[in-house]
Structure formats: C-alpha cells, structure tokens
Amino acid sequence: MSLITSVLQTYSILAASMAAGANLTTSIITFPALLHAKGHTLTKQWLILYESGIVPVAGCAITSSLGFATLAYRAASSPDLAATGVVSHTKGNLYVAAAVGLIGLAPYTRLLMWSTITELSKRAESGKEASEKADTLALVEKWGRMNFWRGVMLLSSAGVGIWASLL
C-alpha cells in the first residue's frame, strides 16, 4: 500500500468521523439544552448553533468525500486480484458509497431541511414577534430530528470508509 493511500485513508476516516461527531453532538447534547429557551431567544440560539456548525461539518464532509472518491479511483485503477484471479471491485464500490454519503450532506440539507432552516432564520433575524409564533418550538424540534439523521448518514459513511480501508 502506498503512502498516499494510507494518508488519504487516515484523513478521510478522521474527517468523516469529525463531521459526524460534531453533527451528532449538536443533536444529542447541545440541542436538548436549546429547547429550554422560548420565543426570540430560542430562534437566536438556534441560529448561532446552526451557523457555527456549517463550516466545520461541511468542510470535513466535503474534503473527506473527495478523499474517498480519490481512493475509489485508485482502487479501480489498480484492483486487487482475489485468490481465483477475478478482479474484485468491492473496495472501490465501498469507497464510492462513503464518498456519496458524505457529499450527500448538501442535497439532504437543501432538499429536506431548507424550508425549516429558512423559516427559522427569518424568525431569528426579524425580531421578537415572528419568533414567538406557536409553531416555533415545533420547527426547531423538526430541525433537530432531521439534523440527527444527517449525522447518522455521516457516521454511516465513515463506517463504510473504514470497512473499505480494511479490505
């Protein structure tokens, strides 16, 4: 195994794990404490939590995805031969799955969460009246559930990347 492969595996696994860890920590530890706030305070705290996680989580997920995609390419260009002499593409396919799961963070957020994020952001920035609507807590809770599953997706991708690296 070449040095570049080892470095890419190590970085991609660590970055994917960091993205998943940060995202899941937000949902499991930080988020429940946020739910004790009311009205404008709730939306302002949510906005701070959301904005502070964008760069580290997205950055780690995207760069890890690129690392796994590169590993998939390298696996396809030099496939391992099984004992039978048949080329196995399992390793490359697992790297592709890990890369897709990590880059899937963007479409997941945009397609499934964007309307909730937009509404909560508007309420946080517009002031007290908008953020004291009856459904504000429900919107924040919805975001929390979707964010948890986004973290599970990232963690699963890290696991698939580990699996591919061990083959």
Side-chain angles (χ1 to χ4, degrees):
M1 178 168 31
S2 71
L3 178 61
I4 188 83
T5 299
S6 297
V7 169
L8 280 171
Q9 286 173 331
T10 302
Y11 175 78
S12 297
I13 291 168
L14 287 174
S17 299
M18 286 173 44
N23 203 72
L24 287 169
T25 298
T26 297
S27 292
I28 295 170
I29 297 172
T30 308
F31 185 74
L34 180 77
L35 294 176
H36 295 286
K38 301 284 184 226
H40 186 62
T41 303
L42 173 62
T43 58
K44 276 304 225 187
Q45 288 179 343
W46 170 85
L47 187 61
I48 292 166
L49 178 67
Y50 173 72
E51 288 179 344
S52 65
I54 291 172
V55 172
V57 173
C60 285
I62 290 167
T63 57
S64 178
S65 179
L66 289 171
F68 283 132
T70 303
L71 288 164
Y73 174 78
R74 290 174 61 83
S77 63
S78 60
D80 297 329
L81 292 177
T84 62
V86 177
V87 175
S88 172
H89 296 286
T90 304
K91 186 175 215 158
N93 291 341
L94 288 170
Y95 281 135
V96 168
V100 168
L102 287 159
I103 203 69
L105 175 78
Y108 180 97
T109 303
R110 190 68 174 168
L111 296 173
L112 300 178
M113 299 177 75
W114 203 249
S115 61
T116 304
I117 291 167
T118 303
E119 182 60 28
L120 286 170
S121 295
K122 276 193 245 179
R123 291 182 188 193
E125 293 168 356
S126 69
K128 203 169 191 173
E129 314 79 43
S131 60
E132 289 183 351
K133 290 182 180 177
D135 65 336
T136 298
L137 181 60
L139 279 173
V140 172
E141 288 173 339
K142 179 181 177 183
W143 178 86
R145 283 188 305 276
M146 289 187 290
N147 191 62
F148 173 79
W149 290 111
R150 187 169 57 170
V152 169
M153 179 180 72
L154 294 172
L155 186 60
S156 299
S157 297
V160 170
I162 291 169
W163 183 14
S165 295
L166 294 174
L167 289 180

